[in-house]
Amino acid sequence: MIRVSERKEAEKLLYTDVAMVLIDPYYGENKEHESGVSIDDMYSEGMSFFTELIESEINLPIYFIEFEKIFSVVDKNSLYQRGMAGIVPVNPLAPETVERQIDQILEEIFMEEKSREFAKRGYVLDFNTAQILSSDEKRLFIQYHDLKKRMAVDMDSQSAIMKDAQRPTTKFSEVIGAENAKTELAWFTEFLKNPKKYSMEGRRLPKGVLLYGPPGTGKTMLARAMAGESDVAFLETSATQFMNSYVGKSEENIRRLFRTARKYAPAIIFIDEIDAIAKERTGDTTSQHTESMLNTLLTEMDGFRENVKEPVFVLAATNYDLDGSVSGKKRRIDPALLRRFDNRIYVDLPNEEERKQYLELKLNQKGKNKISEDIISNLAARTTGQSIAILQNVIELAMRNAAKAGTELSGERLLDALEEYNYGEKKTWEQGYYESVAIHESGHAYAAWCAGEKPSYVTIVSRGNFGGYMQHENSENKPNYSREDLLGKIRTSLAGRAAEKVFFGREASLNTGASSDLRSATDMAMRVIATYGMDEENLVCLSPEQILNTTLAKEFIERTNRLLKEQMKETENLICSGREKVEALAKKLLEQNHLTQNEIQDIFDET
């Protein structure tokens, strides 16, 4: 028990884990004012603090100390009506009785709190009893045994409330990436753990957060991590589960979910795919049903501040890009709903380092930590723009393929799984075709290397609509490109045909295999001239599509072709000067079908 004599000290203690408050109503009494007929009319520091507490929604049990002055019946009734929990009389002749009374009150408060917590998790206590007669046969004892807890939630709550075994145990430390989202959600987690602290500090109590961003970035995992960190009731659903063809049933589904959350509060409601019912209202008769559901959701969210001590927090998620800054397209979530959320957090795709962390984590969890650092780094570098969910699918595919073949998971299996996941099954052709592809792809890799890149992967395995490919170095952290950078990319695109010409002759090089390379080179050359203002004769900045619809089309096409012919000539000279390196790389490709960044680098360094 802590005794304080200053209001400020008492207010600070309320931020801590306080079980009850004892107030002397006569402390700091101002005797210059008339006391009136009731204790309510008295001016004192004690009564002022009492008034402050009951108006602040702190919801702590408040007891009054009855010391020298005995409360009248009128005073007691008044204080009980205002929210007093009880009176602790102090006997000056036996002051030790006060401590016993307080201990008893604290024990009752503890038992009530545990009982509420037990009930909020949907449990009841089962037990058996036995009657035991005392030896003198004058007393009968009731013995309780076989105590067990069991779930006993009502019908409304059965589908929403999770058992302890089902409750999320995920922590923020287990979520890879999304650092901004984790930091923000951690703040709200602290609120759920100690809502009265935020109330006493005068902060506006939060209602919820909207998570948005590409699919597979971990929005659901973030929600489950918040539940795991806060250890509160977690109700997980999707907006589509609200929908019902019967009139009024969808709205009732929403109300039932929020009723359950309030019953077991503090709680988190997680609504995935909220855009299914949250599109901007237009008044169109075809969308009246959805708009009615949205109105119900808005009404329920407005009722969250009923109990500060037992808050309900809404987490919602959508895969749509709300402001169009990433995809260029906006999905109009109703402004009224957006205002209900305290923050909208964009959950981005993982960067290279985060992808590497995830791969290491998952492979270690599965006991496959013998995969080399080179393979893991290569996979991380080559999966720019891919989500955590896709990386998980690649690992699972590699493990299935290894199980089918009756072998252990290996780095080769992982590399092959990434190729299969992205581009499909392998195709088989005759040997002469692979020799041509090996020279073609080696030409690409050598030109990229000469342009200052470190190609991350090259393969001659045929999948989908291509015979092989060279993957550029990961450039997600490169902010911009110079003219020479772009010319290097043009030469890299042209290097496949240039290599075939140098090694097999002009006629053999004129095949359809370079069509996509030529389209890429043409698009880049047109942008150098028309879009990026890198041409000495022109500073007009227009897209290729805009130019091709004007009278300038012929002029710009001719200038683009001149640039391409100049770069092709340079590329052929480049291949001739590096013939040995190209040939060495092609030979290695024919031996093992694909090469990683470090393997490519080793061949160029050694040749």
Side-chain angles (χ1 to χ4, degrees):
M1 184 171 69
I2 302 173
R3 180 176 180 179
V4 296
S5 57
E6 296 290 335
R7 282 272 296 277
K8 289 184 178 180
E9 286 184 75
E11 289 170 358
K12 286 180 182 178
L13 285 173
L14 293 174
Y15 297 141
T16 62
D17 190 18
V18 175
M20 62 179 288
V21 178
L22 280 169
I23 296 177
D24 177 0
Y26 297 100
Y27 178 77
E29 180 181 1
N30 188 339
K31 297 183 179 181
E32 294 181 2
H33 293 79
E34 294 182 6
S35 61
V37 296
S38 167
I39 196 171
D40 277 336
D41 301 322
M42 181 180 64
Y43 290 86
S44 72
E45 286 290 319
M47 288 303 296
S48 177
F49 187 53
F50 173 61
T51 301
E52 181 182 323
L53 280 178
I54 60 175
E55 291 179 354
S56 69
E57 298 181 321
I58 288 299
N59 202 19
L60 280 172
I62 304 170
Y63 288 78
F64 275 79
I65 298 173
E66 189 178 60
F67 190 54
E68 295 177 346
K69 299 180 181 179
I70 306 300
F71 297 145
S72 68
V73 174
V74 173
D75 288 341
K76 290 179 180 179
N77 289 338
S78 175
L79 292 174
Y80 277 122
Q81 288 175 6
R82 292 184 61 188
M84 177 183 73
I87 296 172
V88 177
V90 177
N91 183 352
L93 301 178
E96 67 279 0
T97 59
V98 175
E99 189 172 337
R100 288 199 297 269
Q101 290 181 74
I102 293 175
D103 285 343
Q104 184 178 350
I105 292 170
L106 288 173
E107 185 176 340
E108 291 172 358
I109 291 172
F110 176 79
M111 294 301 294
E112 287 176 5
E113 183 66 31
K114 289 302 175 183
S115 176
R116 282 196 298 270
E117 184 180 330
F118 205 65
K120 286 183 182 301
R121 288 180 177 260
Y123 285 114
V124 295
L125 196 63
D126 273 351
F127 55 85
N128 290 319
T129 60
Q131 298 179 0
I132 302 174
L133 192 63
S134 65
S135 58
D136 58 5
E137 299 186 351
K138 293 182 178 180
R139 289 171 295 176
L140 182 68
F141 296 93
I142 307 296
Q143 185 180 65
Y144 293 86
H145 62 93
D146 295 336
L147 274 72
K148 297 177 183 177
K149 67 176 183 179
R150 64 176 176 86
M151 289 290 288
V153 297
D154 55 43
M155 291 298 295
D156 264 2
S157 309
Q158 279 184 354
S159 61
I161 277 292
M162 291 185 171
K163 297 179 181 179
D164 275 359
Q166 298 171 316
R167 282 183 177 232
T169 57
T170 309
K171 304 298 182 184
F172 286 130
S173 59
E174 299 173 46
V175 181
I176 303 297
E179 295 302 324
N180 179 54
K182 287 191 287 188
T183 301
E184 185 71 357
L185 291 179
W187 188 93
F188 289 112
T189 298
E190 290 304 313
F191 154 71
L192 284 171
K193 289 179 177 179
N194 193 2
K196 69 179 182 180
K197 173 182 176 181
Y198 290 88
S199 174
M200 283 297 293
E201 291 176 353
R203 301 186 189 183
R204 184 174 66 88
L205 299 180
K207 293 182 176 181
V209 165
L210 175 64
L211 304 173
Y212 71 102
T217 50
K219 295 183 286 294
T220 300
M221 192 173 183
L222 280 168
R224 297 179 71 82
M226 185 176 181
E229 293 279 359
S230 57
D231 191 33
V232 299
F234 184 64
L235 290 75
E236 184 176 3
T237 187
S238 169
T240 55
Q241 293 180 6
F242 295 140
M243 295 180 178
N244 194 292
S245 57
Y246 292 101
V247 176
K249 188 66 176 177
S250 301
E251 293 83 347
E252 177 55 28
N253 289 341
I254 295 172
R255 285 190 286 267
R256 184 189 305 116
L257 177 68
F258 284 84
R259 261 198 319 270
T260 302
R262 291 189 181 98
K263 188 183 302 182
Y264 296 97
I268 295 172
I269 295 177
F270 175 55
I271 307 174
D272 202 5
E273 308 291 353
I274 197 169
D275 46 271
I277 63 170
K279 289 180 285 189
E280 186 173 21
R281 290 167 290 184
T282 61
D284 187 353
T285 54
T286 60
S287 59
Q288 282 183 351
H289 179 55
T290 305
E291 292 185 4
S292 177
M293 293 169 65
L294 176 58
N295 289 334
T296 303
L297 178 61
L298 294 173
T299 302
E300 291 297 326
M301 288 187 71
D302 273 340
F304 276 6
R305 292 184 186 139
E306 294 174 357
N307 192 337
V308 173
K309 192 176 181 180
E310 299 174 345
V312 176
F313 188 84
V314 176
L315 265 176
T318 175
N319 293 334
Y320 286 92
D321 177 21
L322 301 184
D323 60 5
S325 62
V326 178
S327 66
K329 298 179 180 179
K330 292 183 181 181
R331 172 76 169 205
R332 291 291 296 175
I333 300 292
D334 192 84
L337 179 61
L338 289 178
R339 286 196 299 272
R340 296 307 196 278
F341 292 107
D342 297 86
N343 199 358
R344 288 163 270 174
I345 304 174
Y346 180 70
V347 185
D348 203 354
L349 291 164
N351 59 33
E352 182 178 348
E353 182 58 34
E354 290 164 349
R355 294 193 296 272
K356 183 177 178 181
Q357 288 177 21
Y358 177 79
L359 289 168
E360 290 173 340
L361 175 68
K362 296 306 288 186
L363 291 171
N364 284 333
Q365 285 178 349
K366 296 179 182 295
K368 310 298 180 184
N369 51 3
K370 294 181 180 178
I371 307 300
S372 71
E373 180 75 13
D374 178 46
I375 294 295
I376 292 176
S377 297
N378 188 265
L379 288 169
R382 293 173 50 220
T383 47
T384 302
Q386 295 188 332
S387 68
I388 293 294
I390 289 178
L391 294 178
Q392 183 176 4
N393 290 341
V394 169
I395 293 173
E396 295 298 331
L397 176 59
M399 294 185 70
R400 285 198 303 273
N401 289 343
K404 289 175 187 175
T407 63
E408 287 291 318
L409 180 66
S410 64
E412 291 298 307
R413 289 281 181 195
L414 279 168
L415 292 173
D416 189 67
L418 178 61
E419 297 295 295
E420 182 180 342
Y421 186 86
N422 286 334
Y423 307 116
E425 292 285 345
K426 296 178 182 178
K427 295 179 180 178
T428 304
W429 307 104
E430 48 88 24
Q431 184 62 25
Y433 176 75
Y434 289 114
E435 292 174 359
S436 174
V437 172
I439 290 294
H440 184 104
E441 299 305 334
S442 296
H444 284 312
Y446 179 67
W449 185 70
C450 291
E453 272 197 71
K454 292 181 179 179
S456 61
Y457 191 76
V458 61
T459 180
I460 59 171
V461 176
S462 179
R463 299 177 189 270
N465 61 351
F466 62 84
Y469 73 95
M470 186 279 298
Q471 188 166 355
H472 288 270
E473 181 181 18
N474 181 20
S475 58
E476 62 187 335
N477 295 322
K478 190 174 177 69
N480 55 43
Y481 294 89
S482 67
R483 185 175 189 275
E484 186 53 40
D485 289 335
L486 299 182
L487 293 180
K489 288 186 177 297
I490 292 172
R491 291 192 294 272
T492 299
S493 295
L494 298 174
R497 172 167 283 187
E500 289 188 61
K501 182 179 179 181
V502 170
F503 280 84
F504 306 124
R506 181 178 182 278
E507 288 304 316
S509 71
L510 297 179
N511 57 64
T512 58
S515 59
S516 61
D517 295 334
L518 293 174
R519 281 196 299 272
S520 177
T522 300
D523 181 68
M524 186 63 71
M526 179 69 85
R527 292 184 183 278
V528 167
I529 292 171
T531 305
Y532 301 137
M534 294 178 175
D535 185 48
E536 293 180 0
E537 300 177 33
N538 177 63
L539 284 177
V540 174
C541 183
L542 296 170
S543 69
E545 294 76 16
Q546 289 173 309
I547 289 172
L548 293 175
N549 291 322
T550 69
T551 56
L552 296 171
K554 182 179 179 181
E555 176 190 345
F556 273 84
I557 289 173
E558 289 176 352
R559 285 161 61 186
T560 299
N561 193 42
R562 281 200 304 271
L563 178 60
L564 289 171
K565 289 168 72 174
E566 291 169 3
Q567 294 306 309
M568 176 59 91
K569 189 172 182 179
E570 285 195 32
T571 306
E572 290 174 10
N573 293 335
L574 197 66
I575 298 295
C576 286
S577 65
R579 185 183 181 107
E580 290 183 7
K581 294 183 184 297
V582 174
E583 195 168 22
L585 189 65
K587 182 180 178 181
K588 197 68 174 178
L589 276 172
L590 288 169
E591 290 177 8
Q592 59 186 63
N593 292 333
H594 61 77
L595 297 167
T596 62
Q597 185 179 81
N598 289 343
E599 291 171 327
I600 296 168
Q601 185 67 38
D602 289 343
I603 291 170
F604 286 155
D605 288 342
E606 293 170 3
T607 308

